[in-house]
Amino acid sequence: MSDSRRVATVRDVAKLAGVSPGTVSKALNGVGQLSAETRAKVQEAAAALDFQPNHTARSLASGRTFTVGVITSDSFGRFTIPVMLGIEDSLAAGQVSTMLCDGRGDPVREHQLMERLIGRQVDGIVVTGRRRDPRQSLGRVPVPVVYVLSESLDPDDLSITYDDEHGTQVAAHHLLSTGRRHLAYVGGPERHLASRLRRVGVERALAAEGLELDPNLAMYGQWSESWGRSAATIVLRSGRSVDGIVCASDQIARGVLDGLREHNVHVPDDIAVVGFDNWDVMVQGARPLLTTVDPHLESLGREAATRLLAAIQGDQPIEGGMVTRPCELVIRDSA
Amino acid sequence: MSDSRRVATVRDVAKLAGVSPGTVSKALNGVGQLSAETRAKVQEAAAALDFQPNHTARSLASGRTFTVGVITSDSFGRFTIPVMLGIEDSLAAGQVSTMLCDGRGDPVREHQLMERLIGRQVDGIVVTGRRRDPRQSLGRVPVPVVYVLSESLDPDDLSITYDDEHGTQVAAHHLLSTGRRHLAYVGGPERHLASRLRRVGVERALAAEGLELDPNLAMYGQWSESWGRSAATIVLRSGRSVDGIVCASDQIARGVLDGLREHNVHVPDDIAVVGFDNWDVMVQGARPLLTTVDPHLESLGREAATRLLAAIQGDQPIEGGMVTRPCELVIRDSA
DNA sequence: GTGAAAGCGCTAACAG
DNA sequence: CTGTTAGCGCTTTCAC
């Protein structure tokens, strides 16, 4: 379906309202000083003509496109989505739209995307990625940039992320405070920063009670359910009387849960289990419902966008550094 | 980090190359007739100045923004992502970017988004949604529109989607061709078109062999794992000697698998199970690995974008109707 | 082949 | 308070 009537411009509105185009602009944008009367007259005319300002022309004249670019290395995946929702949430109010690009984790491609976004005159850029591992900086960019989730290796960039260590620390603390004493940690691959940081969190919580994490019960593996199942078996066969397991992801936790059930171990009575991510699909499918750590990705996105907006409007320039937000433990039935 | 050197314009390039701005435009865009020599000179100058054309200005002058809007009702969810990947895939070649908006399934909001996109002068719009259920048309829009996944109720719109019925038909056919005779169907909510169509597919496949789907073995429930678990129990308690189960989603299938395992039923030897979606997370976590139907969402997105591009370039106007693409059975270990 | 000129639709600076 | 005047950076006739 297509409608080819020519669309109204400021000139048409001006003519109908009996004023000049400049006045129309001021009236509709609420800038400058105008009599309430004129303003009303213009608004009426605009409404009558169903006037929609031409965004492109506005951008060219004002130098702002009211668009921010988002470059992700997560292929629009599970981590990017909540971050995007947060970004949109805080941008929508300012009538700012986003342009999502998938860098596929390739620095060269990311750089091209950045240049393309710059060519499109975006007002700012958010860079986000799969997981926590630090990433290369985009380098010099003529507009403000904020990194979310994956921190930039350049300390002059602003990175906003969550606190892995704190997340598992809270999880382990919960286990300890409900009487568990012998904890195990089931991580993802050791090469992933998140795996290592989350282990430290468990150790911290134990240390606070004068306890230690048995190195044999601190394991690295994959980010998968099947690794979780294997890990459950390993824990049970270890001969150690484990009564609580902190997992580095909900997927792993689900595997652990399944593994334990197959060995007729009752959760949470015999062993309590905590996950990480608060990923609804995993959490809801798990039996019992999974107690897990929520990194609040959406609010990270919201914060990134808010900072970016402030920088764009010139209120507050971006200053480099790491912002690390706490996680929250969501208690359900597994611990 | 920020770099405030003024960026080069066509005028700068023109001056350096010793030609006029108009010539620069022609040389860089490969239009009109120019001597190879001049063209080279201009390209050299552009490179020397690291010239990046201002997209906004180009849009204003040419009337095309090389941007298409995508309105989804799926909150950037699981169904939108593959579709988006497909769209990007086919658009990227033409240097076209996308603007993703979340309509949250609210027709009013969707309409606002559409107007906003039109205000931003997008060249075309793709409308996509959660699942298959038909949706209201956006109505009159001054640019080409293509609906993907959720078909438009207006037959004058072009809708591209996959064939639910065919999907489960292929699944059931596979079960029958490997010797199963007594099939059950575990659907999602009956109010969802997909649930009903997928049931029909199973019936068709059975009919082709002179068999029927026992109404007691055709069930509707939820799109969840826990419903799948319940359904497995129902099937086993039915007293019917079921040897194959077609599920309306991978999540349901996973639940069915878990339910069967708990009753010590062996899959696929005792009962074979097929899912729907080919959703990696579910498929990989399932035991045994799930045989399932792939609706090829990505290629639907690709096709939608290709059609849209053709319409934008004026090659081929959008004509209304439904395009329904077949699904593909992906055989793994559960059937 | 190439240059000059007009203009896309809007905003912004400056008069009045 | 409001109108006029210049552009924003590019494309695109149309002369030459």
Side-chain angles (χ1 to χ4, degrees):
Chain A
M1 281 192 164
S2 161
D3 181 343
S4 53
R5 266 186 336 239
R6 205 178 119 287
V7 57
T9 75
V10 269
R11 281 232 274 283
D12 302 321
V13 178
K15 200 178 301 171
L16 182 60
V19 299
S20 75
T23 304
V24 171
S25 175
K26 283 171 216 154
L28 263 25
N29 294 311
V31 292
Q33 327 223 56
L34 288 186
S35 72
E37 196 186 358
T38 314
R39 198 175 296 272
K41 211 166 47 182
V42 170
Q43 279 163 346
E44 220 168 285
L49 294 174
D50 193 23
F51 171 71
Q52 291 278 70
N54 180 321
H55 187 90
T56 309
R58 183 204 290 260
S59 299
L60 183 58
S62 70
R64 278 198 56 187
T65 53
F66 291 87
T67 304
V68 314
V70 179
I71 299 178
T72 175
S73 60
D74 183 31
S75 300
F76 310 133
R78 179 158 69 81
F79 299 97
T80 298
I81 294 167
V83 174
M84 267 299 283
L85 286 171
I87 293 173
E88 289 264 292
D89 188 35
S90 94
L91 250 37
Q95 295 278 59
V96 175
S97 299
T98 65
M99 204 150 241
L100 216 198
C101 316
D102 175 15
R104 303 188 193 152
D106 173 1
V108 176
R109 204 180 132 79
E110 279 179 356
H111 208 265
Q112 288 170 346
L113 288 175
M114 183 271 276
E115 300 212 304
R116 188 156 142 195
L117 289 172
I118 294 303
R120 283 178 172 263
Q121 315 293 119
V122 295
D123 299 331
I125 296 180
V126 175
V127 179
T128 178
R130 190 188 212 21
R131 311 246 172 219
R132 271 294 319 277
D133 295 83
R135 46 154 295 136
Q136 280 214 307
S137 172
L138 281 184
R140 283 201 163 292
V141 180
V143 298
V145 180
V146 179
Y147 295 78
V148 204
L149 234 56
S150 308
E151 69 199 84
S152 166
L153 284 166
D154 185 337
D156 287 342
D157 291 325
L158 170 63
S159 305
I160 302 179
T161 189
Y162 58 84
D163 191 339
D164 281 288
E165 197 180 311
H166 169 260
T168 46
Q169 189 172 350
V170 170
H173 176 77
H174 171 70
L175 294 177
L176 294 169
S177 72
T178 52
R180 329 293 174 176
R181 278 291 166 273
H182 307 285
L183 305 190
Y185 168 71
V186 183
E190 185 166 7
R191 68 174 187 284
H192 284 183
L193 179 60
S195 279
R196 303 194 300 273
L197 289 176
R198 291 172 194 181
R199 170 183 176 157
V200 174
V202 177
E203 290 171 341
R204 283 271 163 84
L206 283 164
E209 305 271 331
L211 300 171
E212 282 191 350
L213 179 60
D214 180 342
N216 293 304
L217 294 175
M219 297 166 281
Y220 292 110
Q222 311 300 135
W223 297 115
S224 70
E225 291 185 56
S226 74
W227 156 238
R229 291 193 291 261
S230 312
T233 305
I234 296 174
V235 166
L236 295 178
R237 292 218 181 114
S238 70
R240 269 104 174 154
S241 54
V242 169
D243 53 14
I245 303 180
V246 176
C247 305
S249 83
D250 288 345
Q251 273 178 283
I252 292 173
R254 238 199 113 156
V256 165
L257 249 27
D258 285 346
L260 293 178
R261 183 171 337 98
E262 262 155 50
H263 289 284
N264 296 311
V265 173
H266 189 273
V267 175
D269 296 345
D270 299 335
I271 299 184
V273 176
V274 187
F276 202 113
D277 286 340
N278 199 23
W279 185 15
D280 53 357
V281 193
M282 284 298 139
V283 160
Q284 299 300 333
R287 276 175 305 162
L289 293 183
L290 193 61
T291 290
T292 188
V293 174
D294 190 328
H296 288 313
L297 301 183
E298 194 167 332
S299 69
L300 294 182
R302 205 156 21 216
E303 183 170 356
T306 305
R307 295 251 193 161
L308 200 59
L309 274 187
I312 291 169
Q313 289 161 193
D315 301 350
Q316 179 147 13
I318 299 277
E319 44 185 299
M322 278 283 299
V323 173
T324 310
R325 295 294 170 213
C327 299
E328 185 192 5
L329 184 69
V330 179
I331 297 176
R332 294 200 183 81
D333 304 335
S334 71
Chain B
M1 280 195 167
S2 162
D3 181 342
S4 53
R5 267 186 336 240
R6 207 178 119 287
V7 57
T9 74
V10 268
R11 282 232 273 284
D12 302 320
V13 178
K15 199 178 301 171
L16 182 61
V19 299
S20 75
T23 304
V24 170
S25 174
K26 285 168 213 154
L28 262 26
N29 294 312
V31 292
Q33 326 223 57
L34 288 187
S35 73
E37 195 187 358
T38 313
R39 199 175 296 272
K41 211 165 48 181
V42 170
Q43 279 163 346
E44 219 168 286
L49 294 175
D50 193 23
F51 171 72
Q52 291 278 73
N54 180 321
H55 187 90
T56 309
R58 183 203 291 259
S59 300
L60 183 58
S62 70
R64 276 199 57 187
T65 53
F66 291 87
T67 303
V68 314
V70 179
I71 299 178
T72 175
S73 59
D74 181 32
S75 300
F76 311 135
R78 179 157 70 82
F79 298 97
T80 297
I81 295 167
V83 173
M84 267 298 283
L85 286 172
I87 292 173
E88 290 263 291
D89 188 35
S90 96
L91 250 37
Q95 294 279 55
V96 175
S97 298
T98 65
M99 203 150 241
L100 218 198
C101 315
D102 175 16
R104 302 188 195 153
D106 173 2
V108 176
R109 203 180 132 79
E110 279 178 357
H111 208 266
Q112 287 169 346
L113 287 175
M114 183 271 275
E115 300 213 304
R116 187 157 143 194
L117 289 172
I118 294 302
R120 282 177 174 264
Q121 315 292 117
V122 295
D123 298 331
I125 295 180
V126 175
V127 180
T128 178
R130 190 190 212 20
R131 312 244 171 220
R132 271 293 320 277
D133 295 82
R135 46 155 292 135
Q136 280 214 306
S137 172
L138 281 182
R140 282 200 164 292
V141 180
V143 297
V145 181
V146 179
Y147 295 78
V148 203
L149 234 57
S150 308
E151 69 199 84
S152 166
L153 285 166
D154 185 336
D156 287 342
D157 292 324
L158 170 63
S159 305
I160 302 180
T161 189
Y162 57 84
D163 191 339
D164 280 289
E165 198 179 310
H166 170 260
T168 46
Q169 189 171 350
V170 170
H173 176 77
H174 171 69
L175 295 177
L176 294 169
S177 72
T178 53
R180 328 297 176 178
R181 277 293 165 272
H182 306 285
L183 305 190
Y185 169 72
V186 183
E190 185 167 9
R191 67 173 188 285
H192 285 184
L193 178 61
S195 279
R196 303 193 301 274
L197 290 176
R198 291 172 194 181
R199 169 182 176 158
V200 174
V202 176
E203 291 171 340
R204 284 271 163 84
L206 283 164
E209 305 271 332
L211 300 171
E212 282 192 349
L213 178 61
D214 180 342
N216 293 305
L217 293 176
M219 296 167 281
Y220 292 110
Q222 310 302 133
W223 296 115
S224 70
E225 290 187 57
S226 72
W227 157 238
R229 290 194 291 261
S230 313
T233 304
I234 296 174
V235 166
L236 295 178
R237 292 219 181 114
S238 71
R240 269 105 174 155
S241 54
V242 169
D243 53 13
I245 304 180
V246 176
C247 305
S249 83
D250 287 344
Q251 272 179 282
I252 294 174
R254 235 197 118 159
V256 166
L257 249 25
D258 285 345
L260 294 178
R261 184 173 334 100
E262 261 154 49
H263 289 283
N264 296 311
V265 173
H266 190 273
V267 175
D269 296 346
D270 299 335
I271 300 183
V273 176
V274 187
F276 202 113
D277 286 339
N278 199 22
W279 185 14
D280 54 357
V281 193
M282 285 297 139
V283 160
Q284 298 301 333
R287 276 174 306 161
L289 292 183
L290 193 62
T291 290
T292 188
V293 174
D294 189 328
H296 289 313
L297 302 183
E298 195 168 330
S299 70
L300 294 182
R302 205 155 22 214
E303 184 170 356
T306 306
R307 296 253 193 160
L308 199 59
L309 274 188
I312 290 169
Q313 288 160 192
D315 300 350
Q316 180 148 11
I318 299 277
E319 44 185 300
M322 279 282 300
V323 173
T324 310
R325 295 295 172 214
C327 300
E328 185 192 6
L329 184 69
V330 179
I331 297 176
R332 295 200 182 81
D333 304 336
S334 71

